Amino acid sequence: RDGNDETSTLRFDHGCQFFRADTAKFKKLVHEWMEKGYVSEWNGDFRSSTKQEHEFFGLPSTPPFYVAIDGMQTLSKNMLIDAASENS
């Protein structure tokens, strides 16, 4: 977040910008997260300032890609909340 303004809507999400679900088990988990409102499919594209013959930084070119709603850090927070409620 922008440290200069308490009402600012700027936010910087470091680390993983998106993820994929390539296995059946992970796809099922991502579907559950989508139903809970934790993640959504990201339909953006990858851009480069130069013409490239290969995928952008080796990233997969086949969607779907997913992002956490309200920033990637919220996914881990929601997972911890779920785990705590399952164990109580």
Side-chain angles (χ1 to χ4, degrees):
R1 295 189 189 271
D2 180 4
N4 298 325
D5 182 0
E6 291 292 323
T7 62
S8 176
T9 58
L10 293 177
R11 181 184 30 221
F12 299 92
D13 211 4
H14 303 284
C16 179
Q17 291 82 27
F18 69 91
F19 63 92
R20 289 180 38 98
D22 293 328
T23 66
K25 187 174 183 177
F26 196 40
K27 286 177 184 178
K28 181 181 179 207
L29 185 58
V30 169
H31 180 73
E32 291 172 14
W33 291 340
M34 289 178 77
E35 288 179 341
K36 292 179 178 182
Y38 296 171
V39 301
S40 65
E41 188 172 340
W42 180 66
N43 294 310
D45 60 2
F46 299 104
R47 300 291 174 148
S48 173
S49 61
T50 62
K51 184 177 179 180
Q52 294 181 349
E53 298 285 326
H54 305 286
E55 296 174 343
F56 179 72
F57 289 109
L59 297 173
S61 59
T62 307
F65 304 106
Y66 301 96
V67 294
I69 295 172
D70 201 25
M72 292 296 271
Q73 76 283 357
T74 60
L75 178 56
S76 57
K77 290 177 183 178
N78 287 326
M79 291 169 64
L80 287 170
I81 292 168
D82 284 352
S85 66
E86 290 174 5
N87 293 321
S88 58

